[in-house]
Amino acid sequence: MEARIEKIKQQLQSQGYKLTPQREATVRVLLENEEDHLSAEDVYMMVKEKAPEIGLATVYRTLELLSDLHVVEKMNFGDGVARYDLRNDSNTHHHHHLICVQCGAVDEIMEDWLLPLEERLEKEFQFKVIDHRLDFQGICHRCNKQDK
Amino acid sequence: MEARIEKIKQQLQSQGYKLTPQREATVRVLLENEEDHLSAEDVYMMVKEKAPEIGLATVYRTLELLSDLHVVEKMNFGDGVARYDLRNDSNTHHHHHLICVQCGAVDEIMEDWLLPLEERLEKEFQFKVIDHRLDFQGICHRCNKQDK
DNA sequence: TTAGGTGCAAATCTTTTGCAGAAAG
DNA sequence: CTTTCTGCAAAAGATTTGCACCTAA
């Protein structure tokens, strides 16, 4: 965990930015909730517990900055808010989402199932893939059980 | 084109809704711009040319209604606005997006490449897939050419 | 001392809602 | 008539911005 913070600090500094206490608190919240997909408001509330004086605008600015640096990924699941995920070390994003339309849960699959498709895309469409996003909407295993 | 409007009219009526002139004008705009991904504001401006008295709220309400009926699909590409696409006749959504990070173009692949994955999901994760969404970010063939 | 950061409040932008009147069966 | 629909204006909610102060190299 400390190692990942150190790395992010270096990413920031290499671009002339500082890892301020506010930014560090924000990153720690993301780190401690890696499997969730927090909104800016979510992050704000959690950061407030550690650093009550922080402002919402700072959280937005931090998330935007980290997003520009590809440290976090900004996502949109269709409810009116942006959600943010820490990226893994290689700065690539290769997980897929299982979005339950019944209970709203968002699960993840961490494997990358799309490499064959990406190769096909480059060949057939001359489209050079940088990243992708794959979401499935459906009924999750928990709701499936309950329905019986 | 008239046939598709007629079909949408029946879909509305079967649920107790009317195909009002405003709604028809909205559908026609979507029909005439099927390969674009229009925002509510885009649709509003185009509908205004045919029916200048229409209100933005009506466009939003119409798009929301059509979305509920699965006549259009509401999407979000990460810029702050929702975008709307007419669905095909079977009311399924099986196209994939190629989003160019350089010129911003959004191309589509109409084939469904994911059926094998969906089967695997149901087996391995007990997740019943209703719909999916697959977007690729990268460099499109046009930009690829220009760069040379 | 100087550029980068921050908190606050105000501004902006998209989308939704309340309401009174209009349209359609 | 009664239900659905509309336009307008106001409200709501998320995000951004202006600004004066702050803080670290």
Side-chain angles (χ1 to χ4, degrees), chain A residues 57-70:
Chain A
T58 298
V59 172
Y60 271 105
R61 281 186 284 232
T62 299
L63 292 172
E64 190 62 30
L65 173 62
L66 294 176
S67 190
D68 289 347
L69 296 181
H70 300 284

Side-chain angles (χ1 to χ4, degrees), chain B residues 17-68:
Chain B
Y17 301 109
K18 302 166 193 166
L19 184 64
T20 63
Q22 291 92 332
R23 287 178 183 165
E24 185 174 331
T26 302
V27 170
R28 282 186 190 277
V29 163
L30 292 173
L31 222 26
E32 288 161 10
N33 297 275
E34 248 186 310
E35 58 279 18
D36 298 333
H37 304 83
L38 302 178
S39 68
E41 191 76 32
D42 293 337
V43 174
Y44 174 58
M45 306 239 272
M46 299 177 86
V47 173
K48 272 223 136 173
E49 290 171 19
K50 309 181 176 190
E53 74 294 348
I54 200 173
L56 178 56
T58 299
V59 172
Y60 271 105
R61 280 186 285 231
T62 299
L63 292 171
E64 191 62 29
L65 174 61
L66 294 175
S67 190
D68 289 347

